[in-house]
Amino acid sequence: TGFGLDINGLWYPSKQFGLGLNVGISQYGNSERQIPFSYYTDLVTITEKTINDLAYSHLLLKLIPFQGNVRPYFEGLLGMKNLSTTTKIYTENCTDDLDTEYDECEIASSTNASDNAFSYGGGGGLEITLTSIGGDEDSDFEENEDSVFEGVLSFYINARYMIGGEAEYLKEDDIIYSDTFPVETSFNPSTSKTDALQMSLGLNFSF
């Protein structure tokens, strides 16, 4: 179980058929702990954060058999996925400057594990027109010759079952820390197929 961001870009040679690219990233686990900054004292601590990510990129085929304000559709996807685990160390009592491209509170980071797997699958969903934008007499927006956007804004909900190849990856409890100083870390990675059921909802803009 996890959460993430999914982005689709499609070109429609016809109203019933779309071809494009699907990319996204989701987080399937994370942990956080406070650790001593020095071996000699625990009065000063820093924060260690470990995050398990699943990133993917697919070619996307979309079929919309019926037109109207409510449109069921079907999808097929083919591509790759990457499972990775990253650990970062942050200083405490720090506020990051959002105007900079980097996290000023981050001290160091390391990728603990990373593996790729083949990915393919399919699914379907429902797309519901909310409004048209620019140049439409039925639009909720006034017609404007200088309008930057012109198209249809829709809400969608869908489900996909993605079949993934075998990969080696870390879960939350797969990192083991010793009770000795200095701390010794060992990994107990899992190896399995990477099938996933993906549920999503969002907004679609067609122009």
Side-chain angles (χ1 to χ4, degrees), residues 46-205:
I46 53 178
T47 300
E48 179 189 86
K49 295 182 179 180
T50 300
I51 298 175
N52 303 314
D53 286 325
L54 168 64
Y56 51 86
S57 178
H58 300 101
L59 295 175
L60 172 61
L61 172 67
K62 184 175 180 180
L63 300 176
I64 309 174
F66 308 108
Q67 300 300 306
N69 289 331
V70 179
R71 301 174 297 279
Y73 63 88
F74 304 95
E75 296 176 322
L77 301 98
L78 177 68
M80 297 291 293
K81 64 176 64 175
N82 172 267
L83 293 91
S84 65
T85 298
T86 304
T87 298
K88 297 182 178 182
I89 301 294
Y90 297 89
T91 181
E92 297 184 352
N93 302 319
C94 173
T95 301
D96 180 38
D97 184 355
L98 299 179
D99 293 331
T100 61
E101 297 181 356
Y102 56 90
D103 190 337
E104 294 179 326
C105 299
E106 182 181 322
I107 300 173
S109 66
S110 179
T111 299
N112 310 127
S114 179
D115 199 6
N116 299 314
F118 185 64
S119 176
Y120 66 96
L126 198 63
E127 201 170 85
I128 303 171
T129 298
L130 298 178
T131 186
S132 56
I133 300 175
D136 192 324
E137 61 181 6
D138 296 326
S139 174
D140 293 339
F141 297 82
E142 294 183 2
E143 184 172 350
N144 185 349
E145 294 181 354
D146 298 326
S147 175
V148 177
F149 299 106
E150 183 174 331
V152 177
L153 181 67
S154 304
F155 168 82
Y156 72 87
I157 182 170
N158 73 7
R160 298 168 178 161
Y161 189 78
M162 303 303 300
I163 299 172
E166 188 174 279
E168 184 177 271
Y169 55 93
L170 295 173
K171 304 192 299 293
E172 283 189 51
D173 298 327
D174 288 344
I175 300 179
I176 303 169
Y177 305 96
S178 70
D179 296 327
T180 59
F181 288 95
V183 175
E184 294 183 358
T185 305
S186 59
F187 300 125
N188 183 28
S190 301
T191 301
S192 70
K193 291 181 64 64
T194 54
D195 297 359
L197 175 63
Q198 182 184 45
M199 308 285 291
S200 60
L201 53 86
L203 295 175
N204 173 59
F205 185 70

